[in-house]
Amino acid sequence: MSVKGYERVGTFDYAPAKSGKIKPNQIRNTAPLGNVMLEKPVHEYFEKAVFTESRFVGIDVSGSGPLVHGTIDDFVIDDLGYNVDWTLAVTYVVDGDGPKPCFHSQKKLARRSTKFVNPFGALNELLKDNIELAFKDPNFVSCIGSPAVAARAGAGSAAGLPGTIVSPTPTPTPTPASIPAAPKADDGGAWIPFGSQGQ
């Protein structure tokens, strides 16, 4: 997909960690034994994924445009059975010119994979696909491609008008480099694989 617009990527608060239920770098797992612990806080991975995906689909993130931010409402893995169920719910906010946001909407995505799939690759895909739900929302695209935003960003290029979605593109969307494919040898136990006890 291709999206024309302008934005600045802000902070996405990780609600489960802010409430004290889990650690900032932890993804909640319903299995009694097995927390998924990442090297850095979850919100950092997600913010990087938003930035990377924005650039890839054609959104100008060079500094002009409204602030895109929000809340990671829930991020949970259920691997009690033979499959792994992944759920990611994110509220996206695009600031408006006044006190009210131009866009405020939750995007929730649920996926199922086998237990043999690369968990880090599956996490990357889940992040990417959730972000694309926002990019496919005409109201979101309208907010990042308003005439006022376009004028500030020097729009009018031959690539297309801001605030439009052009789809599909011949190039497949790559997985954003948001979560490493494998733990490093010198992490000192920062990574805890599925099925092991997290502290």
Side-chain angles (χ1 to χ4, degrees), residues 4-6 155-164 166:
K4 300 302 175 185
Y6 307 87
S157 67
L161 296 175
T164 59
V166 183

Side-chain angles (χ1 to χ4, degrees), residues 38-49 178-180 191:
L38 303 179
E39 194 174 44
K40 296 184 293 186
V42 170
H43 77 90
E44 290 186 21
Y45 288 113
F46 190 79
E47 290 155 11
K48 182 178 180 182
S178 55
I179 299 177
W191 291 82

Side-chain angles (χ1 to χ4, degrees), residues 49-152:
V50 173
F51 184 86
T52 303
E53 278 301 304
S54 296
R55 287 180 56 184
F56 181 79
V57 301
I59 299 172
D60 188 328
V61 291
S62 62
S64 299
L67 186 68
V68 176
H69 57 104
T71 305
I72 304 165
D73 301 311
D74 199 14
F75 201 172
V76 61
I77 299 170
D78 180 352
D79 67 343
L80 286 173
Y82 293 103
N83 298 306
V84 181
D85 293 319
W86 314 75
T87 303
L88 175 61
V90 181
T91 297
Y92 294 86
V93 179
V94 180
D95 286 353
D97 293 333
K100 291 185 178 180
C102 180
F103 180 84
H104 186 282
S105 178
Q106 186 190 76
K107 304 298 179 184
K108 187 173 183 177
L109 187 66
R111 287 287 170 83
R112 172 168 288 184
S113 66
T114 68
K115 287 196 173 183
F116 301 103
V117 74
N118 178 347
F120 304 106
L123 285 172
N124 273 324
E125 283 296 312
L126 192 67
L127 298 183
K128 178 182 74 68
D129 292 345
N130 188 285
I131 294 164
E132 287 190 354
L133 288 179
F135 291 169
K136 291 175 182 177
D137 191 317
N139 294 322
F140 177 93
V141 176
S142 176
C143 288
I144 67 168
S146 67
V149 171
R152 289 197 302 271

